[in-house]
Amino acid sequence: MKHMMIRAIRWYQKYLSPLKTTRCPYIPTCSNYALQAIEKYGALKGGILAGWRILRCNPFSHGGYDPVP
């Protein structure tokens, strides 16, 4: 499961992310954060952390440096 999630994120980064007109306000970007969280904590906990980060990423967020805990 972990490897499938990582492949899906890398596919997103390669093919879909360049098509976006807006940029992620966070450092690291949401997709890089998801990769780091899944590699560090596994599919379940890393996926939950990545999902929470994606929910926080919106036009009204201040952004900034937000590393994986």
Side-chain angles (χ1 to χ4, degrees):
M1 185 67 163
K2 177 179 171 179
H3 297 290
M4 289 190 324
M5 292 173 79
I6 290 172
R7 269 200 233 137
I9 293 168
R10 292 205 189 275
W11 184 87
Y12 165 80
Q13 288 177 329
K14 185 174 182 179
Y15 295 108
L16 296 181
S17 185
L19 300 176
K20 289 176 40 182
T21 57
T22 60
R23 297 279 179 205
C24 182
Y26 287 104
I27 298 170
T29 63
C30 293
S31 58
N32 284 331
Y33 181 94
L35 280 175
Q36 292 173 11
I38 292 168
E39 288 173 350
K40 185 173 182 179
Y41 294 110
L44 182 62
K45 186 175 179 182
I48 291 170
L49 287 170
W52 178 244
R53 168 69 176 273
I54 290 168
L55 288 174
R56 291 184 289 142
C57 190
N58 60 63
F60 304 108
S61 68
H62 292 33
Y65 184 64
D66 182 28
V68 176

